[in-house]
Amino acid sequence: MIDIGDKAPDFTLPASRDRTIALSDASGPVVLFFYPRDDTPGCTKEAIAFTGMEADFAALGVTIWGISADSVASHEKFATKHRLTMPLLSDEDNAICEAFGVWKEKNMYGKKFMGIERATFLIAADGTLAQVWRKVKVPGHAENVLEAAKALQA
């Protein structure tokens, strides 16, 4: 499992707004948040929180990207419905989720299945992991990530 100080796995993925995004193309720090599914309550709250703080991150030179296994078409609907402004990347084969160690066995109502564990990675401009949050609880999370991003600037 990757952790703070490790080089973030590079990737190129299709994204909302007819884009293809590669980590290697980032010109500064990146917040990469993995979320289980488009348009579910927790994922919606998390995406709206990051969207609401996008200008604060941009002022620090930090880009925000969300990743789930949903299709680009699903991301487009989700983004339009909730006025999300950051790109949402589609990892339909879960290869990037596996590379970041967020593709996990989950248990809901006694039923086991594979899915994405909500996690966020703050990637420094040099491509190393500056901070990692696993098993994220949504309330206050975007604010915590912003504080960590500010610390990168110090």
Side-chain angles (χ1 to χ4, degrees):
M1 187 175 304
I2 62 172
D3 208 348
I4 295 170
D6 292 343
K7 191 81 167 161
D10 196 14
F11 59 81
T12 301
L13 289 172
S16 56
R17 293 188 248 147
D18 282 330
R19 295 178 64 187
T20 298
I21 292 179
L23 181 57
S24 57
D25 291 342
S27 59
V30 173
V31 169
L32 194 60
F33 71 97
F34 289 84
Y35 64 97
R37 295 205 35 131
D38 287 343
D39 216 15
T40 56
C43 298
T44 300
K45 287 176 185 160
E46 182 178 29
I48 288 171
F50 276 118
T51 294
M53 300 179 74
E54 197 168 20
D56 297 316
F57 282 99
L60 299 171
V62 178
T63 302
I64 305 170
W65 297 330
I67 296 183
S68 81
D70 295 301
S71 68
V72 171
S74 175
H75 286 340
E76 294 289 357
K77 284 188 217 171
F78 181 44
T80 299
K81 180 177 180 180
H82 298 287
R83 296 184 179 108
L84 306 176
T85 53
M86 85 285 288
L88 301 175
L89 289 63
S90 178
D91 184 24
E92 288 188 88
D93 67 1
N94 301 305
I96 306 311
C97 291
E98 287 183 15
F100 277 83
V102 300
W103 186 246
K104 305 268 187 174
E105 183 176 77
K106 298 172 94 174
N107 190 346
M108 187 179 289
Y109 307 116
K111 191 175 179 182
K112 292 186 180 195
F113 61 97
M114 294 301 291
I116 296 173
E117 173 186 76
R118 189 181 313 280
T120 302
F121 298 84
L122 176 59
I123 303 168
D126 67 1
T128 60
L129 296 175
Q131 191 63 257
V132 176
W133 295 265
R134 295 190 182 273
K135 297 183 182 179
V136 166
K137 302 294 182 211
V138 173
H141 177 62
E143 292 82 358
N144 291 338
V145 176
L146 180 62
E147 289 308 309
K150 286 177 183 176
L152 277 183
Q153 309 301 314

